[in-house]
């Protein structure tokens, strides 16, 4: 059994704009309420170093995960730890699809597995759900804001 948190969001922005938002890791602190700091060179095998605001009022938690897949402009995912373990492991992915309407479908997927999963879910499950909810909404807002700015500057 796994803890799974998923989101699907139609964003009124091009896939290129949404990709720019989710891969410009250095700007996460400007718009992302969940991941308040992030460093990553988006290549398979590299690390993604994050500061996660898990619980309001707590100091952000440092987290290191490993890039497992990259399809430029469309998809990336990461895992922790680097090698599978039965104690605790996670998988996270971001996927973008251009819709017929010109909007972008953003899909977020998170899985948590392992012996410690029930304890982590009990202690932090609601905070994780709130964090991923907030991040997904913020990706939509940021992407639409950048798209609007680009359209206005092109006029």
């Amino acid at each position: 059994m796994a803890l799974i948190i998923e989101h699907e969001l139609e964003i009124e922005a091009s896939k290129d704009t949404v990709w720019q938002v989710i891969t410009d890791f250095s700007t996460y602190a400007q718009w992302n309420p969940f991941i308040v700091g992030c460093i990553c060179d988006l290549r398979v095998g590299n690390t993604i170093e994050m500061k996660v605001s898990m619980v309001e009022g707590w100091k952000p938690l440092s987290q290191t995960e490993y890039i497992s897949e990259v399809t430029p402009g469309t998809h990336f995912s990461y895992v922790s730890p680097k090698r599978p373990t039965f104690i605790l492991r996670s998988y996270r992915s971001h996927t973008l699809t251009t819709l017929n309407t010109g909007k972008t479908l953003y899909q977020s997927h998170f899985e948590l597995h392992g012996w410690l999963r029930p304890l982590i879910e009990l202690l932090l499950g609601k905070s994780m759900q709130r964090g991923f909810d907030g991040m997904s909404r913020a990706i939509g807002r940021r992407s639409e804001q950048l798209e609007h700015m680009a359209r206005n500057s092109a006029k």
Side-chain angles (χ1 to χ4, degrees), residues 51-102:
K51 297 275 187 193
V52 180
S53 181
M54 190 67 70
V55 179
E56 192 173 323
W58 287 15
K59 180 180 174 184
L61 303 172
S62 294
Q63 205 167 314
T64 300
E65 305 209 11
Y66 300 88
I67 303 298
S68 56
E69 301 171 291
V70 178
T71 304
T74 302
H75 173 87
F76 73 93
S77 62
Y78 44 93
V79 297
S80 181
K82 194 171 191 171
R83 292 185 175 32
T85 175
F86 293 106
I87 297 170
L88 191 65
R89 64 192 182 283
S90 69
Y91 171 83
R92 172 96 161 105
S93 68
H94 303 267
T95 304
L96 306 178
T97 306
T98 301
L99 301 173
N100 292 338
T101 61

Side-chain angles (χ1 to χ4, degrees), residues 102-113:
K103 295 179 182 179
T104 299
L105 178 64
Y106 167 71
Q107 295 172 295
S108 166
H109 181 84
F110 173 79
E111 296 179 18
L112 190 64
H113 299 268

